[in-house]
Amino acid sequence: MRIKVKQALAAEQPLKGVTVSGWVRTRRDAKDFSFVEINDGSCFKNLQVVVDAAAPGAEHLKEALTGSSVSVDGELVPSPAKGQKWELKATAFRLLGRADETFPLQKKGHTVEFLRTIPHLRARTNRLGSMMRVRSRMAIAVHEFFQQRGFAYVHTPIVTASDCEGAGELFRVTTLDPVAPPKTPEGKVDWSADFFAKQSYLTVSGQLEGETLACALGDVYTFGPTFRAENSHTSRHASEFWMIEPEMAFCDLEGDMRCAEELVKYLVKTALEQCSDELDFFNAYVDKGLLERLRFVAERPFARVTYTEAVELLLKSGRKFEYPVVWGENLQSEHERYLTEEHFKCPVTVYDYPKSAKPFYMRQNDDGKTVAAMDVLVPGVGEIVGGSQREERLDRLVAAMQAHGLDLASYGWYIDTRRFGSVPHAGFGLGFERLLMFVTGEGNIRDVIAYPRTPGHA
Ligand code: 4AD
Ligand code: MG
């Protein structure tokens, strides 16, 4: 019976007649037997396999180089070696797939830059393998969090005709011939002849459709891929990333901020409790302060400041920033990092942003200058959550859409939520890759997703 390395290492008693399959990490040969370290991806640790030179198949041991795949039958017995409870004593050894000396992941450590050149192989390293396991666990924890709270998991479209964030960072979806597209009599591209009979794009956010579903189901969340054709060459921006977007009816900004804080804490706690081998590894090799920081975050309330207070703190800091701090403009990443890393030294929720810096859908505050927006900033990453209470008042919403130059005719469906039984509601987006950077201490978004897409790289 095949068991995974994870099961083998967690065994409570010796086991006979088991098979373990995986990839060779290292092999050491003694005179009459060999030690083969096997990893099958099921957990961080390897299983040590002891193959007697007389065991069936042992004649192929010499060819079982690092990276080769093998399958071993044997008995799980207590290991005399330090640091491991069990080892597999082989009764039969099978070499499944050879890997020769050109296999790029030989034992020595590799730089993340080199590993990015082999995305198809790098998940076989401790670093990326750990990331993939943490990623999987965190994705399920997102569902646990919302399911425990009675949210419905909804699927919003990937192809859309609207630009939720209004930033114009859209990837076009078209089946028109790029060399000779059909033209209108005025000589422009005739989008009515395109597949969807209008211009369409990959979504930047599922929020607008999410709002319509929250206005039917109460509490909903999406968790899907989003796309931004933003030409940002930073360690925190990807062109394709996954976003978690809850949307809550009968909820205000306060409830929104609380939900975001609870979600981030739940994910951090789950990682600490259930991904401890992986986090120990990241703490040792990637970010020495990781565990201490995560434990601290899991226990303490996040700091909270208004945008206006944040601007005052930045102006008083005496810091020379590359971008000047100006009330009315979005905070730059260096400003966000100063607030969370140096001033508060903990996650901070900044709220009530100037309306000039934010999209059309955010609820206007009574001061006439700000909107009920919030961002959660965390040390090491900066913004991981962006959200707001939504403008539920029909007249205010329409005025804001006009001010942002939106074509009202194509947003009739969205405006309907305010025409028929409008309710206060709020939501946010948590960037899944940014969350993973925070939870693992990885400094570059390219190392938290298997196949990163960034400008110039697909
Ligand atoms: O702040 P953003 O742009 O907010 C929205 O899209 C809202 N419609 C969400 C909502 O209220 N439902 O994006 C939300 C989060 C950011 O805080 C960040 O974590 C992540 O998405 N994000 C990115 N992550 C990786 N690469 C990018 N290019 C990202 N852009 C945003
Ligand atoms: Mg944002």
Side-chain angles (χ1 to χ4, degrees):
M1 186 191 54
R2 179 177 167 222
I3 58 170
K4 296 199 175 177
V5 169
K6 183 176 182 169
Q7 291 167 279
L9 294 175
E12 289 183 348
Q13 64 210 39
L15 297 170
K16 282 207 161 106
V18 297
T19 301
V20 174
S21 304
W23 292 270
V24 174
R25 282 292 177 87
T26 58
R27 197 190 80 230
R28 282 178 297 130
D29 299 319
K31 194 155 147 279
D32 300 322
F33 54 89
S34 297
F35 292 114
V36 188
E37 291 279 330
I38 295 185
N39 188 287
D40 69 357
S42 62
C43 63
F44 183 82
K45 295 195 176 94
N46 304 327
L47 180 66
Q48 172 162 289
V49 177
V50 187
V51 192
D52 196 287
E59 63 276 17
H60 293 297
L61 265 173
K62 288 262 169 321
E63 300 153 75
L65 305 183
T66 297
S68 304
S69 53
V70 299
S71 190
V72 188
D73 304 335
E75 278 175 47
L76 194 70
V77 297
S79 175
K82 260 216 324 257
Q84 56 190 24
K85 205 165 151 209
W86 302 105
E87 63 185 29
L88 189 70
K89 202 167 162 319
T91 53
F93 178 84
R94 285 179 299 279
L95 177 64
L96 299 180
R98 286 178 179 75
D100 66 15
E101 302 81 356
T102 63
F103 177 61
L105 301 170
Q106 300 297 329
K107 192 147 195 278
K108 67 178 166 71
H110 300 282
T111 64
V112 281
E113 289 79 13
F114 169 71
L115 294 177
R116 278 177 217 144
T117 67
I118 47 167
H120 57 297
L121 293 174
R122 66 178 181 164
R124 293 200 207 172
T125 61
N126 284 337
R127 190 156 176 173
L128 271 294
S130 293
M131 182 58 72
M132 291 301 115
R133 281 185 296 275
V134 174
R135 193 175 165 109
S136 167
R137 188 65 196 84
M138 289 293 94
I140 298 307
V142 165
H143 290 294
E144 287 163 4
F145 177 87
F146 288 113
Q147 293 296 320
Q148 284 162 11
R149 285 164 175 73
F151 283 59
Y153 172 35
V154 298
H155 302 101
T156 48
I158 304 290
V159 175
T160 167
S162 46
D163 179 4
C164 174
E165 294 306 292
E169 297 161 342
L170 299 156
F171 286 104
R172 184 184 294 287
V173 175
T174 178
T175 53
L176 293 184
D177 179 351
V179 180
K183 296 276 175 71
T184 61
E186 298 82 53
K188 296 198 172 136
V189 175
D190 182 8
W191 296 109
S192 71
D194 202 351
F195 191 88
F196 295 107
K198 59 162 107 162
Q199 301 197 59
S200 52
Y201 311 93
L202 295 178
T203 188
V204 296
S205 161
Q207 177 195 321
L208 301 186
E209 294 89 351
E211 282 185 54
T212 67
L213 295 168
C215 291
L217 297 162
D219 293 333
V220 303
Y221 69 105
T222 68
F223 185 177
T226 45
F227 306 86
R228 301 214 179 164
E230 182 184 7
N231 205 6
S232 296
H233 298 256
T234 79
S235 55
R236 309 173 316 129
H237 287 86
S239 317
E240 176 179 305
F241 63 97
W242 288 67
M243 185 153 57
I244 296 126
E245 295 186 88
E247 193 67 36
M248 298 163 281
F250 314 105
C251 180
D252 59 9
L253 185 68
E254 170 63 32
D256 200 36
M257 295 194 283
R258 204 181 323 126
C259 182
E261 179 167 340
E262 284 173 7
L263 172 61
V264 171
K265 283 187 171 151
Y266 180 83
L267 296 174
V268 166
K269 277 190 202 147
T270 304
L272 283 168
E273 283 163 18
Q274 298 185 18
C275 305
S276 55
D277 285 347
E278 284 79 10
L279 293 201
D280 285 347
F281 167 81
F282 285 113
N283 190 62
Y285 294 101
V286 176
D287 176 355
K288 298 258 185 280
L290 177 68
L291 288 177
E292 198 189 329
R293 186 164 68 247
L294 293 181
R295 289 193 191 113
F296 176 83
V297 165
E299 271 143 39
R300 283 200 39 201
F302 292 3
R304 261 190 209 177
V305 278
T306 64
Y307 167 90
T308 302
E309 287 161 353
V311 165
E312 280 161 16
L313 289 173
L314 290 163
L315 290 173
K316 273 197 302 205
S317 70
R319 256 320 158 78
K320 263 229 151 316
F321 294 108
E322 193 185 330
Y323 293 88
V325 179
V326 185
W327 197 100
E329 289 185 16
N330 252 323
L331 298 177
Q332 296 291 325
S333 140
E334 55 176 341
H335 308 142
E336 297 177 341
R337 306 268 305 243
Y338 171 81
L339 291 170
T340 176
E341 287 166 19
E342 296 182 47
H343 185 82
F344 290 105
K345 299 189 166 59
C346 72
V348 48
T349 308
V350 181
Y351 63 101
D352 286 349
Y353 280 77
K355 75 175 175 200
S356 53
K358 291 291 181 186
F360 72 91
Y361 53 74
M362 295 187 174
R363 191 176 198 279
Q364 294 163 54
N365 288 327
D366 294 339
D367 62 12
K369 292 186 295 193
T370 62
V371 287
M374 63 100 172
D375 277 3
V376 177
L377 318 176
V378 297
V381 184
E383 177 191 340
I384 63 168
V385 167
S388 72
Q389 184 171 340
R390 318 307 188 188
E391 183 55 80
E392 85 284 11
R393 297 161 295 188
L394 179 63
D395 53 339
R396 301 281 193 110
L397 179 69
V398 168
M401 292 177 89
Q402 279 162 339
H404 280 86
L406 270 76
D407 169 27
L408 292 186
S410 50
Y411 286 89
W413 58 277
Y414 181 73
I415 298 171
D416 268 1
T417 54
R418 277 65 168 180
R419 293 181 59 220
F420 306 119
S422 188
V423 293
H425 62 288
F428 62 84
L430 168 65
F432 191 49
E433 282 72 23
R434 300 235 179 126
L435 181 271
L436 288 169
M437 291 173 72
F438 181 57
V439 162
T440 61
E442 273 296 359
N444 198 307
I445 199 162
R446 292 164 182 78
D447 303 319
V448 305
I449 184 165
Y451 289 95
R453 269 77 177 102
T454 52
H457 290 273

